[in-house]
């Protein structure tokens, strides 16, 4: 924002404990669990603030980068990065319990994984970039990313100690300062997972979120480990229509590509 950014660091949580929780949810990943903890953290903050968004089925939208790099692709050619943005929502109305929250967030992530939207958008963006100056492209990307409330990142770091100037690095944190209301950055390092927050200066202090992060994981860990019997995913009407959701995403991208083609033809005159 125009007034700058404020940052906050959350207390790290044990990666092995995260994996214990992950192993109780069939087909889940560490990223599913961490994303659910983040959703629970935001939900707790909004509930304590009395924010009406908790009652809206759309929840809060979050943007994140999807790696499009092919397995074995040379890092010298891509500098390690070939990404496109995608999005998900935190479905607060489906998060009646912390266990429900994990399943609900996992469904959102599974939809992203099954959708061709990131690849199609990357193709469209490559075509757009041919007809725009660097300044126009920057404005275009700024417009796209500003449509979301939260920007997410999840970086798997080294799981052995690193050293800087002969001293062991205790913790790692990453921040991204972009025109989006709040940034939430996850990074795993040396057996711990840390979470960092950066928000526009005119928004509430991000330490309010940071203080709830580890507590929400502790509560989820207790709820899962004390649950008797297997954790069954509750029935959800949207689950059978993953393919339909992917088809809709592809259709939107095709329409966008058509619009870009028209714009390119006009700009090319």
């Amino acid at each position: 924002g125009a007034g700058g950014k404020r940052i906050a660091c959350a207390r790290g949580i044990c990666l092995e404990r995260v994996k214990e929780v992950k192993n109780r949810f069939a087909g889940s990943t560490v990223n599913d669990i961490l994303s659910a903890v983040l959703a629970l953290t935001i939900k707790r903050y909004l509930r304590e603030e009395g924010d009406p968004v908790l009652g809206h089925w759309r929840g809060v939208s979050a943007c994140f980068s999807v790696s499009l790099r092919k397995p074995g692709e040379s890092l010298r050619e891509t500098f390690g990065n070939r990404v496109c943005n995608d999005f998900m929502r935190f479905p607060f109305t489906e998060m009646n319990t912390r266990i429900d929250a994990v399943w609900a967030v996992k469904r959102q992530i599974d939809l992203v994984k099954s959708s061709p939207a990131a690849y199609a958008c990357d193709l469209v963006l490559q075509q757009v970039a041919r007809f725009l100056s660097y300044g126009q492209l920057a404005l275009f990307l700024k417009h796209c990313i500003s449509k979301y409330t939260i920007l997410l990142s999840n970086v798997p770091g080294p799981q052995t100690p690193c050293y800087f100037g002969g001293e062991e690095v205790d913790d790692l944190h990453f921040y991204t300062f972009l025109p989006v209301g709040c940034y939430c950055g996850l990074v795993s390092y040396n057996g711990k997972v840390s979470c960092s927050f950066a928000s526009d200066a005119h928004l509430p202090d991000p330490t309010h979120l940071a203080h709830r992060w580890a507590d929400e994981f502790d509560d989820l860990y207790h709820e899962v480990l004390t649950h008797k019997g297997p954790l069954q995913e509750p029935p959800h009407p949207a689950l059978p229509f993953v393919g339909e959701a992917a088809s809709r995403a592809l259709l939107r991208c095709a329409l966008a590509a058509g619009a870009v083609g028209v714009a390119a033809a006009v700009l090319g005159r």
Side-chain angles (χ1 to χ4, degrees):
K5 296 282 186 179
R6 293 192 289 185
I7 64 174
C9 303
R11 174 169 58 91
I13 59 180
C14 175
L15 182 57
E16 286 303 315
R17 295 181 77 199
V18 175
K19 292 179 179 178
E20 281 187 65
V21 174
K22 184 264 296 183
N23 292 337
R24 297 292 300 273
F25 292 86
S28 69
T29 65
V30 168
N31 183 60
D32 293 335
I33 305 304
L34 294 176
S35 299
V37 173
L38 187 57
L40 288 165
T41 301
I42 296 170
K43 180 183 179 182
R44 176 185 283 196
Y45 169 75
L46 294 175
R47 183 179 66 243
E48 293 173 357
E49 293 295 316
D51 197 303
V53 73
L54 288 179
H56 198 287
W57 69 271
R58 287 187 177 274
V60 169
S61 62
C63 176
F64 53 90
S65 294
V66 177
S67 175
L68 303 179
R69 191 156 47 88
K70 299 176 182 178
E73 187 173 316
S74 172
L75 296 182
R76 293 181 180 225
E77 296 177 4
T78 63
F79 296 98
N81 286 318
R82 185 167 171 247
V83 299
C84 188
N85 288 334
D86 212 325
F87 76 97
M88 62 177 286
R89 65 183 180 89
F90 291 142
F92 298 130
T93 57
E94 302 170 29
M95 296 165 51
N96 298 317
T97 67
R98 291 179 176 85
I99 290 175
D100 287 345
V102 174
W103 289 120
V105 171
K106 181 181 182 302
R107 279 194 293 269
Q108 290 290 313
I109 295 175
D110 287 346
L111 283 170
V112 172
K113 290 178 179 178
S114 66
S115 170
Y119 294 92
C121 288
D122 178 60
L123 185 62
V124 170
L125 185 57
Q126 289 182 40
Q127 298 304 313
V128 171
R130 295 167 52 198
F131 300 97
L132 299 179
S133 66
Y134 286 120
Q136 291 171 327
L137 185 58
L139 288 174
F140 174 75
L141 295 175
K142 179 181 178 180
H143 173 76
C144 291
I145 203 170
S146 65
K147 297 298 182 181
Y148 304 102
T149 304
I150 296 173
L151 176 65
L152 301 178
S153 72
N154 188 354
V155 180
Q159 293 309 304
T160 54
C162 295
Y163 295 85
F164 183 79
E167 297 294 330
E168 182 176 332
V169 176
D170 294 327
D171 205 355
L172 290 178
H173 290 271
F174 290 93
Y175 298 94
T176 298
F177 304 108
L178 288 173
V180 64
C182 182
Y183 164 77
C184 303
L186 303 170
V187 58
S188 59
Y189 165 67
N190 197 22
K192 292 193 305 182
V193 181
S194 301
C195 189
S196 308
F197 299 90
S199 64
D200 285 347
H202 67 277
L203 296 177
D205 192 334
T207 56
H208 297 317
L209 287 171
H211 289 163
R212 293 164 172 82
W213 157 258
D215 290 342
E216 273 303 319
F217 174 74
D218 289 341
D219 291 343
L220 173 64
Y221 182 85
H222 180 266
E223 185 174 319
V224 169
L225 270 293
T226 57
H227 182 86
K228 295 181 179 179
L231 297 175
Q232 299 291 340
E233 182 174 5
H236 190 272
L239 194 59
F241 301 106
V242 172
E244 181 182 340
S247 299
R248 290 177 179 175
L250 185 59
L251 177 60
R252 288 197 299 270
C253 291
L255 292 173
V260 169
V262 173
V266 172
L267 291 172
R269 290 180 179 177

